[in-house]
Amino acid sequence: MKIEGVELLRVHLPLVSSFETSSGSQSEKDALVVRVVADDSEGWGECVAMAQPVYTSEYVDGAHEVIRRFMLPRIAAGRCTSGAMVAPLLAALKGHRMAKTAVEMAVLDAELRAAGRSFASYLGAERTSVPSGVSIGITASVAELLDQVARYLEAGYLRIKLKVKPGWDVEPVRAVRERFGDEILLQVDANAAYTLGDAGQLARLDPFGLLLIEQPLAEDDMGGHAELARLIRTPVCLDESITSARVAADAIALGACSIVNIKAGRVGGYIEARRVHDVCSASGVPVWCGGMLETGLGRAANVALAALPGFSLPGDTSGSDRYFETDLTPPFVLTSGHLPVPTGPGLGVEPLEDVMKEVTVSSEWVSFPG
Ligand code: NPG
């Protein structure tokens, strides 16, 4: 495979409803799409960086800049011919994992399409469909939250995740348990909104039989998470803190988590995400696939990843209609609470041309030297 050039596209997709977490609210998806054009195929990548650096330090304009200015020249100079070459070629660049992931994903897609092999098969997936959970943002009232939970359970979602923050934790969890019972799979996500001093308050969630509490404390507070895990009964799961397979191994050894959320964008690529999976599996730590409001492109890759054997809990791999009126690709549709793992070459999905035309707000072509 010889890469001829790369197109960087920005697409704006309205969300069906705004999504509020402890770090703010968002009503539109501003995605950076990377299209690799090679002599014998093309490939698509999606960058999950958000408009503002409030989840991690990355943000979409910055990702666009670092890809154009620093990553593509290295990919071109290194005569990159495979997805596996991307991380080593970009290793000298610190951080920017979401940007690196988008580049790796596009190159890998092009490589696999040319080889007639699916992402799922490349990653080592074993399932043909994956169980879907849904993540529900912070709502204006408990009544509104209960309506949303009812709607998603009705749609077949197999697990509910509630966003929590100080002042919005025990009350919504109690209300959901009272209304929907102890049987539903329920977990919470704090997006780093608490401190170890809140351990007493977080222990008040113990009686509700939650699957896990995700990222209660700051990203760099491994010691705090280890201490918290000794003080509460709800299993501690890490998300923002896990930036590589090595960090995952250290977190597990320290007792900072007993479950791990895997997001390729957060760890620098799907190949590193598979390593995180392998490290966790070797320690008997269950993993599940996170989500960052991806379009159908990122969703296709996530669903392939979530089909690996260690993903034993439902992921934030929801149907397209949970986010978008019209997705970039043919929509992912839930069947009995599951999404099908694409089987076609590469991602197994492609952007719909008319939709792309409508939602693309800018595009830029970067030619590789011949
Ligand atoms: O289903 O894609 C989805 C969203 C899942 O809650 C979700 N993502 O912290 O995990 C998270 C959260 C998130 C969303 C984080 C947007 C950052 C931005």
Side-chain angles (χ1 to χ4, degrees), residues 96-118:
H96 297 284
R97 296 185 180 87
M98 294 175 180
K100 289 176 178 175
T101 302
V103 175
E104 182 201 80
M105 178 179 161
V107 174
L108 193 51
D109 186 32
E111 174 193 352
L112 295 176
R113 278 182 209 269
R117 187 169 183 202
S118 71

Side-chain angles (χ1 to χ4, degrees), residues 24 30 62 81 131 136 148 169 183 204 255 281 287 292 303 326 347:
D30 174 354
T81 54
I136 303 182
Q148 288 202 25
D169 43 36
E183 266 70 68
R204 293 182 59 211
S281 294
V287 302
M292 292 196 59
V303 168
T326 314
L347 294 173

Side-chain angles (χ1 to χ4, degrees), residues 120 123-132 262 270 273 277 287-290 299-317 339 341:
L123 292 174
E126 290 187 351
R127 293 187 208 113
T128 55
S129 70
V130 299
S132 290
I262 301 186
Y270 283 88
H277 161 274
V287 302
W288 57 281
C289 185
R299 193 159 308 281
N302 286 349
V303 168
L305 179 67
L308 268 67
F311 285 78
S312 51
L313 294 166
D316 283 343
T317 43
L339 288 186
V341 179

Side-chain angles (χ1 to χ4, degrees), residues 69-108:
R69 206 164 143 201
F70 299 108
M71 294 186 182
L72 296 184
R74 281 173 161 80
I75 295 294
R79 308 209 168 273
C80 180
T81 54
S82 70
M85 285 177 74
V86 172
L89 284 173
L90 302 182
L93 303 173
K94 307 296 181 202
H96 297 284
R97 296 185 180 87
M98 294 175 180
K100 289 176 178 175
T101 302
V103 175
E104 182 201 80
M105 178 179 161
V107 174
L108 193 51

Side-chain angles (χ1 to χ4, degrees), residues 55-315:
Y55 169 76
T56 65
S57 60
E58 286 186 84
Y59 62 103
V60 66
D61 288 340
H64 195 152
E65 160 93 358
V66 78
I67 290 175
R68 181 210 304 114
R69 206 164 143 201
F70 299 108
M71 294 186 182
L72 296 184
R74 281 173 161 80
I75 295 294
R79 308 209 168 273
C80 180
T81 54
S82 70
M85 285 177 74
V86 172
L89 284 173
L90 302 182
L93 303 173
K94 307 296 181 202
H96 297 284
R97 296 185 180 87
M98 294 175 180
K100 289 176 178 175
T101 302
V103 175
E104 182 201 80
M105 178 179 161
V107 174
L108 193 51
D109 186 32
E111 174 193 352
L112 295 176
R113 278 182 209 269
R117 187 169 183 202
S118 71
F119 238 73
S121 142
Y122 178 87
L123 292 174
E126 290 187 351
R127 293 187 208 113
T128 55
S129 70
V130 299
S132 290
V134 65
S135 171
I136 303 182
I138 292 163
T139 49
S141 66
V142 168
E144 194 187 319
L145 175 68
L146 295 177
D147 280 353
Q148 288 202 25
V149 174
R151 194 148 43 82
Y152 289 123
L153 289 174
E154 183 87 1
Y157 284 100
L158 299 170
R159 179 276 274 154
I160 301 291
K161 157 167 147 181
L162 307 180
K163 291 285 183 181
V164 292
K165 64 178 181 181
W168 179 264
D169 43 36
V170 175
E171 192 196 352
V173 167
R174 175 181 293 121
V176 169
R177 276 290 185 231
E178 278 176 7
R179 166 89 175 267
F180 301 99
D182 292 336
E183 266 70 68
I184 65 163
L185 299 181
L186 186 64
Q187 65 192 53
V188 295
D189 181 5
N191 286 117
Y194 294 88
T195 67
L196 190 55
D198 297 314
Q201 175 66 10
L202 295 174
R204 293 182 59 211
L205 293 169
D206 285 349
F208 299 106
L210 300 176
L211 280 176
L212 58 92
I213 178 168
E214 185 179 354
Q215 197 68 41
L217 313 181
E219 184 180 326
D220 58 1
D221 194 1
M222 284 299 184
H225 280 106
E227 182 62 26
L228 181 68
R230 287 189 278 273
L231 296 173
I232 64 175
R233 284 209 309 275
T234 307
V236 173
C237 168
L238 289 177
D239 172 11
E240 285 91 323
S241 297
I242 305 297
T243 50
S244 67
R246 186 183 298 142
V247 171
D250 286 349
I252 293 166
L254 197 65
C257 63
S258 52
I259 301 176
V260 169
N261 164 326
I262 301 186
K263 288 177 180 158
R266 205 193 56 226
V267 301
Y270 283 88
I271 296 173
E272 183 69 10
R274 178 175 58 190
R275 282 189 206 107
V276 177
H277 161 274
D278 294 349
V279 158
C280 292
S281 294
S283 307
V285 167
V287 302
W288 57 281
C289 185
M292 292 196 59
L293 312 172
E294 286 89 349
T295 74
L297 294 171
R299 193 159 308 281
N302 286 349
V303 168
L305 179 67
L308 268 67
F311 285 78
S312 51
L313 294 166

